[in-house]
Amino acid sequence: MTIKKKRCRFCRNWFPHDPRTERQICCEKPECRKQRKITANRRWRLNNPDYDKSRAGKKRIWARGRGYWRYYRQTHPAYVAADNKRRRKAYKNHKFSANQDAIAKIALEKLASIRDIIPNPSANQDMIARRGDVIVDYLFLKESSANRNATDLSLPSGP
Ligand SMILES: [Zn+2]
C-alpha cells in the first residue's frame, strides 16, 4: 500500500499522509499543529458565538467559591489601581446618565402639562397666564440642561 503525500496547509511542505485520517491538513511539526489548533478554535468560536455568554455565570460562581478575585487583587496591585479607576469612571457615568434621565422626564412632564391646558379662545386670562408660566418653566429647564446629552424619551400620552 502506498502512502499518499499531502501538502501542509501551514508550512506548504509535503508530508506523508496517515491513511487512517482522511481529513489531515497539516504535518506533524509542532508549530504547524499549533497553527491548526488555533485555526480550528477560531472557527469553533465563530460557530458558537454564545459560548462565552453562557459560561460567564458559571465562571463567576467558580471564582466566588474559591475567592479567586480576592486573591488575584491581593497579588496584582497594578490591576487593582486600574480597575478602581475604571470603576470610578463607570460609577460617574452611571450617575450622570441617571441625572439626564431625570431631567428628560421632568421636561416631558412639563410638556405634557402644557399640552393638557387646552387652548380655548374663551379661556380666561388666568388659564392663558398659567400656560405661559409653564412654557417659560419648561424652556428654562430645557436651556439649563441643553449642553448635556438629553436622553431620547417619548412624550407621555395625554389623559
Ligand atoms: Zn507543516
Side-chain angles (χ1 to χ4, degrees), residues 15 18 32 42 51 56 63 71 105:
F15 67 95
D18 188 332
C32 290
R42 194 172 295 147
Y51 178 71
Y71 176 75
K105 258 188 202 136

Side-chain angles (χ1 to χ4, degrees), residues 96-109 141 151 153:
F96 178 76
S97 75
N99 282 343
Q100 288 307 298
D101 284 354
I103 288 169
K105 258 188 202 136
I106 293 168
L108 286 171
E109 278 164 19
L141 180 88
T151 316
L153 289 171

Side-chain angles (χ1 to χ4, degrees), residues 58-72:
K58 285 176 184 171
K59 278 190 199 165
R60 203 172 298 128
I61 289 166
W62 174 88
R64 190 171 295 158
R66 289 163 172 250
Y68 174 83
W69 284 110
R70 194 180 308 139
Y71 176 75
Y72 188 86

Side-chain angles (χ1 to χ4, degrees), residues 8-13 15 26-29 32-33:
C8 172
R9 190 176 287 182
F10 303 100
C11 68
R12 307 302 297 154
N13 288 329
F15 67 95
C26 90
C27 67
E28 60 186 11
K29 274 188 273 175
C32 290
R33 295 171 66 179

Side-chain angles (χ1 to χ4, degrees), residues 116-136:
D116 295 344
I117 300 169
I118 300 147
N120 187 339
S122 66
N124 60 30
Q125 286 300 307
D126 270 5
M127 282 294 266
I128 291 164
R130 203 184 125 212
R131 191 158 201 245
D133 283 352
V134 178
I135 289 171
V136 169

